[in-house]
Amino acid sequence: MLNPADDSLAATLPDGVLREVTPAYLEEPRGRYLGRAGLVAAPRSTDEVAAVVRACAEARVAIVPRGGGTGLVAGQVMPEGPPPLILSLERMTALRGIWPEENVLVAESGMTLQAVRDAAEAAGRLFPLSLASQGTAAIGGCLATNAGGVTALRYGTARALCLGIEAVLPDGSVVHDLKRLRKDNTGYDLRDLLIGAEGTLGIVTAASLKLVVPPPGIGTAMLQVPSPEAALTLLSLAEGRMAGGVTAFELIGGQGLAFLAEMLPEIRQPLPGAEWSVLIEVGLPEGLAPEAALEGLLVDAMERGLVTDGVIAQSGAQAAGFWHLREHIPEANRRIGAVASHDISLPLSEIAGFIRDAGERLAGEGVRINCFGHLGDGNLHYNLFPAPGRNRADYDDRRKALSQLVHQMVVDRGGSFSAEHGVGRLKTGDLARWGDPARLKAMRAIKATLDPLGIMNPGVVLSAAG
């Protein structure tokens, strides 16, 4: 049994760490959950984080770690149970060091992703993780959820971009593993265990991050394709011609463009009305002209019937406009109001069949489908919206069934119901239903060993009953 975070706990915490419990700490972006809290603590150092965790362990009080609060599966709020202590990393924003010659940067967890990218750029380097929410998302939250984003095709997810971590475990002990090494075979990798654990096994307080030298030549294009099948063949063609230079390859469905036209008409659309299009970015070595490479790809693809129209950015501003369009698809979705949103991944060879079959299966459900996402790494955002003239509340009694229908079709094709957003509270039932039994047993054993009191983000990833 857990206890509430109350005045008796407050008296044991380090001076000056408490903050007022305001609504901002209790909300999540999709508005489906409203958290609760007895206390909010915002430590200034790893030692203070450790002291707060030790105090909560002694009092058996739940801790909900919070970064930028941008997570989409409700891992940052606790709507039920004794009011927890919310542990915010908002004051731990220091850049601890940067070694451009090593391509390494060490940042505290509260530093925003944008601030990390800016620091890398100032040193002539690139931290390639890129998300629409990067101005708010904290690096600790990115690691806790193993965030993906638009460049995972080339550079990998947050896990692949992390060399080492510093973290506070549920008993208040500190793991000092901020190594700047590419190779370190010294036993179990706690870094990889804590990354993606969504704060259920400990709190990441700082991380050593991989940087890269920015590609000298960057090119961007939007290309209209006749089908998802054509888009996948185009991806293969582009990777063959660019020799590893494809940085991003985004699929955009026509429904997304229609929502943008309706909700954000000021955003210019290079290919208005396209049923399917892709946004491709390439980064090439010095001496290779990216615009010429994209022009060659466009000509080849049109001759093969893979592309019917296209626009190659002729300036940085035009390329930024293309990305501005892509990054505002979620905002248009939010304004329309989704019935159900799905962050799924599939083997590349299964994607076209899934899009076709799922569309046919959902045709009689009275929903509009906006399918878009990171096609290059198999990650789609497959979202369902009300029919014209209806709102999402009309589907409240069917939302769960519709999501299970989509997820079952994904699992049947060897895919995942959570590609980059995590499990949080939203998908614990899905994990229990479709997770491998042996893997779930091992996960529960790890949780019980590291967090025997069950104080770290209870109910996230593994259901409280599990």
Side-chain angles (χ1 to χ4, degrees):
M1 295 293 294
L2 297 174
N3 299 313
D6 56 18
D7 290 343
S8 62
L9 174 64
T12 68
L13 301 180
D15 291 340
V17 302
L18 290 178
R19 296 241 159 152
E20 181 183 355
V21 180
T22 61
Y25 292 109
L26 309 177
E27 299 167 347
E28 50 86 22
R30 288 184 172 161
R32 297 200 182 278
Y33 295 83
L34 181 63
R36 50 206 314 243
L39 299 170
V40 172
R44 293 153 291 200
S45 67
T46 300
D47 287 344
E48 287 191 347
V49 174
V52 171
V53 172
R54 283 194 297 270
C56 288
E58 291 173 5
R60 292 198 75 149
V61 169
I63 299 171
V64 177
R66 189 175 181 96
T70 61
L72 297 175
V73 290
Q76 70 274 56
V77 294
M78 184 172 166
E80 299 175 350
L85 176 140
I86 293 177
L87 197 156
S88 171
L89 282 302
E90 66 192 80
R91 297 166 80 181
M92 293 187 61
T93 60
L95 174 67
R96 293 194 184 174
I98 186 166
W99 295 262
E101 70 281 2
E102 297 180 12
N103 288 323
V104 176
L105 177 154
V106 176
E108 290 187 337
S109 288
M111 196 172 182
T112 66
L113 175 55
Q114 185 62 58
V116 170
R117 287 173 59 86
D118 289 346
E121 183 179 3
R125 295 295 184 264
L126 169 68
F127 182 62
L129 185 66
S130 181
L131 315 172
S133 61
Q134 62 197 34
T136 304
I139 199 66
C142 292
L143 292 169
T145 58
N146 189 27
V150 298
T151 63
L153 167 64
R154 182 167 184 171
Y155 298 108
T157 63
R159 185 189 305 280
L161 294 169
C162 182
L163 294 170
I165 61 167
E166 174 188 88
V168 177
L169 298 180
D171 63 356
S173 60
V174 179
V175 175
H176 297 283
D177 197 24
L178 280 176
K179 295 176 181 174
R180 310 198 308 265
L181 306 176
R182 261 66 175 182
K183 293 181 176 179
D184 178 24
N185 286 333
T186 53
Y188 304 140
D189 196 335
L190 295 182
R191 171 200 60 182
D192 272 358
L193 184 61
L194 291 170
I195 294 173
E198 301 183 52
T200 62
L201 301 178
I203 299 170
V204 175
T205 52
S208 300
L209 303 172
K210 293 181 186 178
L211 307 179
V212 299
V213 177
I218 297 175
T220 310
M222 289 198 71
L223 308 176
Q224 184 172 333
V225 295
S227 66
E229 291 92 340
L232 286 161
T233 304
L234 176 63
L235 170 63
S236 180
L237 179 65
E239 290 187 309
R241 292 178 64 100
M242 305 292 177
V246 180
T247 300
F249 196 91
E250 298 288 298
L251 180 70
I252 300 174
Q255 187 64 72
L257 297 181
F259 284 165
L260 279 170
E262 180 180 353
M263 293 289 111
L264 298 164
E266 68 277 11
I267 294 180
R268 181 180 177 276
Q269 296 196 21
L271 301 171
E275 184 177 358
W276 294 104
S277 57
V278 298
L279 171 57
I280 179 173
E281 181 176 289
V282 300
L284 302 180
E286 188 173 354
L288 298 179
E291 291 83 5
L294 286 170
E295 184 176 348
L297 173 66
L298 176 59
V299 171
D300 191 356
M302 293 186 80
E303 290 176 351
R304 296 169 187 249
L306 302 176
V307 171
T308 57
D309 196 2
V311 181
I312 299 171
Q314 299 301 307
S315 66
Q318 191 175 16
F322 293 173
W323 280 110
H324 184 73
L325 180 154
R326 166 61 183 88
E327 290 165 358
H328 279 76
I329 291 175
E331 174 60 20
N333 287 348
R334 188 189 65 79
R335 296 189 187 190
I336 294 288
V339 171
S341 301
H342 309 102
D343 165 46
I344 60 175
S345 63
L346 290 144
L348 293 186
S349 62
E350 297 286 344
I351 288 177
F354 166 80
I355 293 174
R356 180 192 63 243
D357 293 348
E360 292 175 357
R361 178 63 184 83
L362 292 166
E365 298 292 343
V367 294
R368 290 177 288 178
I369 300 168
N370 186 8
C371 175
F372 67 103
H374 320 306
L375 186 66
D377 56 48
N379 177 195
L380 298 177
H381 301 302
Y382 194 84
N383 301 341
L384 310 182
F385 293 84
R390 304 182 68 185
N391 62 63
R392 68 180 188 174
D394 297 335
Y395 300 79
D396 281 346
D397 60 336
R398 299 164 53 209
R399 179 182 293 117
K400 185 175 181 180
L402 288 169
S403 286
Q404 288 188 349
L405 175 63
V406 171
H407 287 161
Q408 185 67 63
M409 288 188 285
V410 169
V411 171
D412 288 346
R413 289 181 175 271
S416 170
F417 56 83
S418 180
E420 63 176 357
H421 292 167
V423 175
R425 299 180 189 281
L426 183 65
K427 298 180 181 179
T428 55
D430 294 322
L431 182 59
R433 179 174 182 175
W434 287 298
D436 176 73
R439 182 167 178 261
L440 288 173
K441 182 179 179 181
M443 289 171 63
R444 292 188 185 101
I446 293 168
K447 171 72 170 174
T449 299
L450 290 181
D451 184 22
L453 300 178
I455 64 171
M456 295 304 303
N457 226 0
V460 168
V461 181
L462 297 170
S463 64

